[in-house]
Amino acid sequence: MKYLQIGFVGSAALLAAFPAMIAWPTPAAAQGVFPCGGGPNEEQIGVDRQGPVTVPLCIERQSTAQGNSPGSSDVPYVYIPRHVPPPKGWKKVYGAWKGFEIERDPVTDRYSWDYVISLGHATPEEAKTAVRELCLAREPIFAESSPSTCEGFVIDDPYVIVIQYPDVDYFGGQRGSYFVNSSNVPEIEGLVERAPGRWDVCSEVRHQEGQCANVVALLENGIIP
């Protein structure tokens, strides 16, 4: 079994070796994303198709999470879940990832973010154990203060993308944080090339600098024929 373990990964080399497009899958397990319940502070950002049922997915409105943030109409539609059969010949393997806060900026009193990811494991438990070890090695203080901080999220699709939200007020509480998504199809909707080797994922109407998620890495989970 081939394992891939990564901390922070640069995007240029990986983008050059990966298909030009990839798709967004279900982000239901992601931090801050939850099934919509009709509350006044919810902002729908995507849908999850579970068999014949379509479940709307929401995040907290940025205007309520941070007083000086733009209203909900300024939140880009980033997640585009798609469920189709995996590539023919791909063997089911698992990965996991975890994002976490690290250093605090004494000027802004905000924390910067990092993430760890491990792919190509035989079981979800094995993948989560590997990510937990990487996380604790990256931030050993978690082992004493809050080990649960290193509990990772499972990846069970072949194509994996790592994004980072720009550290600007536009993204409210998500600013600077990482998100990892996976999919059965090698396509990205809303991919924008900002410079050679530097890509963003944007919505149809929100595509200016600072309004899109930055592509950090494109990876494959397991061997895809």
Side-chain angles (χ1 to χ4, degrees):
M1 181 64 65
K2 180 181 178 182
Y3 299 153
L4 176 63
Q5 296 189 351
I6 303 171
F8 182 85
V9 185
S11 61
L14 287 164
L15 282 166
F18 201 83
M21 305 292 280
I22 195 170
W24 293 107
T26 306
Q31 289 176 299
V33 180
F34 53 88
C36 300
N41 297 333
E42 296 178 356
E43 170 70 21
Q44 184 176 347
I45 49 78
V47 295
D48 179 18
R49 184 171 298 281
Q50 300 177 359
V53 180
T54 297
V55 180
L57 298 175
C58 284
I59 59 173
E60 183 181 0
R61 290 183 188 274
Q62 292 185 25
S63 56
T64 60
Q66 182 171 331
N68 60 352
S69 294
S72 61
S73 62
D74 293 320
V75 179
Y77 191 99
V78 175
Y79 307 109
I80 308 174
R82 295 172 63 183
H83 292 273
V84 296
K88 186 176 181 179
W90 178 71
K91 181 180 178 181
K92 186 77 170 184
V93 292
Y94 299 88
W97 74 279
K98 179 61 180 177
F100 44 83
E101 295 176 324
I102 47 173
E103 298 179 309
R104 184 180 68 85
D105 186 328
V107 177
T108 64
D109 202 35
R110 293 187 58 85
Y111 281 85
S112 56
W113 287 76
D114 201 352
Y115 76 98
V116 290
I117 184 170
S118 185
L119 304 174
H121 296 276
T123 66
E125 293 74 21
E126 182 180 289
K128 293 180 73 173
T129 296
V131 158
R132 186 176 186 278
E133 292 174 352
L134 287 171
C135 178
L136 291 174
R138 178 65 180 83
E139 281 294 313
I141 190 174
F142 293 155
E144 299 178 1
S145 62
S146 181
S148 62
T149 303
C150 284
E151 183 70 15
F153 301 99
V154 173
I155 298 167
D156 58 2
D157 292 313
Y159 301 104
V160 180
I161 182 171
V162 182
I163 67 170
Q164 184 180 25
Y165 297 102
D167 190 11
V168 295
D169 288 344
Y170 183 84
F171 286 93
Q174 288 182 301
R175 56 184 294 180
S177 65
Y178 292 90
F179 184 77
V180 174
N181 227 323
S182 62
S183 177
N184 284 330
V185 291
E187 295 179 1
I188 292 179
E189 294 187 31
L191 194 68
V192 176
E193 186 175 20
R194 298 296 187 191
R198 187 169 71 87
W199 301 80
D200 285 350
V201 178
C202 304
S203 72
E204 184 176 349
V205 296
R206 308 296 179 189
H207 48 75
Q208 301 299 317
E209 287 274 9
Q211 294 183 339
C212 305
N214 307 140
V215 177
V216 174
L218 296 170
L219 307 168
E220 291 183 356
N221 182 30
I223 298 175
I224 304 174

